[in-house]
Amino acid sequence: MLLKRILLSCIFIIVLAPICYAQDEETKDILTYEGINDDPYAINKLFIHIQPVYSELFATNVNIGFGIQIDYQVAKGLGLSANWRHPYARQTDFAREVAYKNQDNVDNNKAFNYLEFGGTIHLSDRDHEAKTKIILYSKRYRGSKWANKIPEKLIIPSRVRKVLGFRWGGTIFNSTTDVVKAAAAQGVSLVDEENNPVGDAKLYGNLDAKGVYAGLSLQVIKNVAIKPHRDFGVLVNDLHFDAYLDILYAPSISLEDIILDGTIISGDQLETQEVGFRAGVQGKFNKRVGFSYGAEFGYRPSLKERSFYALFKLGLPVFGIPSKDQSRTYRN
């Protein structure tokens, strides 16, 4: 019996030893690294986002185009931003394109334009210890090698900065919109200045809106760099993620009067929705040249029953410009 136990113990040790050795080797080979940088406060001061594409599903007017965004950290606790968007052409400004081809009132086809400017005041700015995922990427994993490989990763302790902010600013947009669909959604029968029903005319109008917004944001900032003890080079996780929720208010929303066969159809017949909201996210990276992404949805002040929208935008390239006294301890 004793001999049997000894024999079983030897077999167990022989089988287990290579497994433990392999695990130790893997831990030694993959999980050891040299920390190079871990400072979520050493971020670029100015970001210039070139946005080659955005897509906006807006009930007032669906449109696809390009834009530019600027984020600037003026001082500790205060950041400013501005964003402008415009369709590529009349063909991607869909309500305008239909209005242009419509002979009933061909002059009512104003191009879509959106301008936003504002700032964020930091209410709370703290960092704490957390876990950060680092993808183990090597230049050896190019092309099909990277596509066919399951990425290895490290979960390491690092500092994570969280900023709670108060957002505020203004918005301006103008657009062509389908007046007949808006009237149908509101249950309104359109009439001209002499109170005659419009009938089956295809009508498009120019809409202008000016408003303000206020809300809260939560920014999560990581800026960590390591050098694993393998042939990976310097690996970085420098994500700057922002989630926000805003109340939108536009006291000035106007639909221009429509002239049809010499008669005036007042835009005041349609109701406007002055109050709305939006929720969104944005991600960018603390690099000299990188990319960004953003998405939001909500109800933008516009014509009543025509205010829902969903937006996606991509920034590429994004130029990050550090402050003069900001030192960089790694290349990215």
Side-chain angles (χ1 to χ4, degrees):
M1 180 66 69
L2 179 60
L3 180 62
K4 183 178 180 179
R5 289 181 178 179
I6 294 173
L7 182 60
L8 290 174
S9 298
C10 291
I11 294 173
F12 179 77
I13 293 172
I14 292 171
V15 172
L16 185 61
I19 298 175
C20 295
Y21 177 78
Q23 289 178 340
D24 287 342
E25 283 297 302
E26 181 180 3
T27 301
K28 178 181 179 182
D29 195 30
I30 295 179
L31 298 184
T32 59
Y33 61 90
E34 175 188 356
I36 295 178
N37 180 68
D38 187 8
D39 188 357
Y41 294 91
I43 61 175
N44 292 322
K45 188 173 185 179
L46 175 65
F47 290 91
I48 301 175
H49 309 241
I50 308 300
Q51 296 173 338
V53 61
Y54 79 84
S55 177
E56 182 169 288
L57 179 63
F58 187 17
T60 294
N61 179 14
V62 176
N63 58 99
I64 301 172
F66 63 95
I68 185 170
Q69 178 175 324
I70 298 174
D71 301 324
Y72 180 56
Q73 192 67 30
V74 179
K76 184 177 180 180
L78 175 62
L80 299 179
S81 64
N83 183 217
W84 171 77
R85 299 193 297 273
H86 185 77
Y88 294 123
R90 192 185 66 240
Q91 290 77 9
T92 61
D93 190 351
F94 292 100
R96 182 188 178 205
E97 170 68 1
V98 176
Y100 181 82
K101 293 180 177 180
N102 179 359
Q103 297 302 312
D104 288 343
N105 57 326
V106 70
D107 292 333
N108 288 25
N109 52 85
K110 180 176 288 187
F112 181 87
N113 271 294
Y114 182 88
L115 175 64
E116 178 179 316
F117 50 90
T120 301
I121 298 174
H122 296 180
L123 304 177
S124 173
D125 188 345
R126 300 177 180 178
D127 68 273
H128 61 90
E129 291 294 326
K131 300 292 185 180
T132 295
K133 180 170 68 174
I134 301 288
I135 300 297
L136 297 178
Y137 174 77
S138 171
K139 293 182 178 179
R140 296 174 299 168
Y141 304 156
R142 291 185 181 274
S144 60
K145 289 185 178 180
W146 177 247
N148 295 327
K149 183 177 179 62
I150 299 176
E152 298 173 331
K153 61 180 181 293
L154 289 176
I155 304 298
I156 66 171
S158 70
R159 296 166 64 195
V160 176
R161 178 183 174 191
K162 293 185 177 180
V163 182
L164 178 65
F166 172 72
R167 289 163 47 91
W168 49 270
T171 62
I172 300 172
F173 84 87
N174 46 59
S175 175
T176 302
T177 191
D178 189 328
V179 175
V180 174
K181 287 185 178 179
Q186 295 183 18
V188 174
S189 298
L190 296 172
V191 297
D192 62 20
E193 59 186 335
E194 297 178 355
N195 208 34
N196 296 317
V198 171
D200 297 330
K202 297 179 181 179
L203 302 176
Y204 293 83
N206 296 328
L207 181 71
D208 295 278
K210 300 178 180 66
V212 295
Y213 69 88
L216 296 175
S217 67
L218 177 62
Q219 301 176 39
V220 179
I221 303 172
K222 299 178 181 181
N223 191 30
V224 56
I226 63 170
K227 176 64 173 71
H229 292 157
R230 279 178 57 178
D231 186 22
F232 283 105
V234 176
L235 302 176
V236 177
N237 186 329
D238 53 4
L239 175 64
H240 185 161
F241 183 80
D242 187 5
Y244 54 90
L245 179 64
D246 296 328
I247 299 298
L248 311 175
Y249 175 60
S252 174
I253 304 177
S254 62
L255 178 64
E256 294 180 10
D257 293 343
I258 301 168
I259 300 176
L260 177 64
D261 298 328
T263 62
I264 298 176
I265 302 170
S266 174
D268 294 337
Q269 297 178 71
L270 297 182
E271 293 185 63
T272 59
Q273 181 172 314
E274 298 180 352
V275 179
F277 80 92
R278 66 180 173 187
V281 295
Q282 176 178 273
K284 60 188 177 186
F285 299 87
N286 191 47
K287 302 181 184 298
R288 295 185 185 274
V289 180
F291 74 96
S292 68
Y293 58 87
E296 63 183 46
F297 75 96
Y299 288 86
R300 179 182 294 153
S302 181
L303 295 178
K304 191 175 182 180
E305 307 295 340
R306 304 286 288 174
S307 63
F308 174 80
Y309 80 100
L311 167 70
F312 170 78
K313 55 186 178 180
L314 174 68
L316 182 69
V318 176
F319 300 104
I321 301 173
S323 59
K324 293 181 179 180
D325 58 347
Q326 179 181 331
S327 62
R328 304 301 295 272
T329 58
Y330 63 95
R331 297 181 60 187
N332 59 1

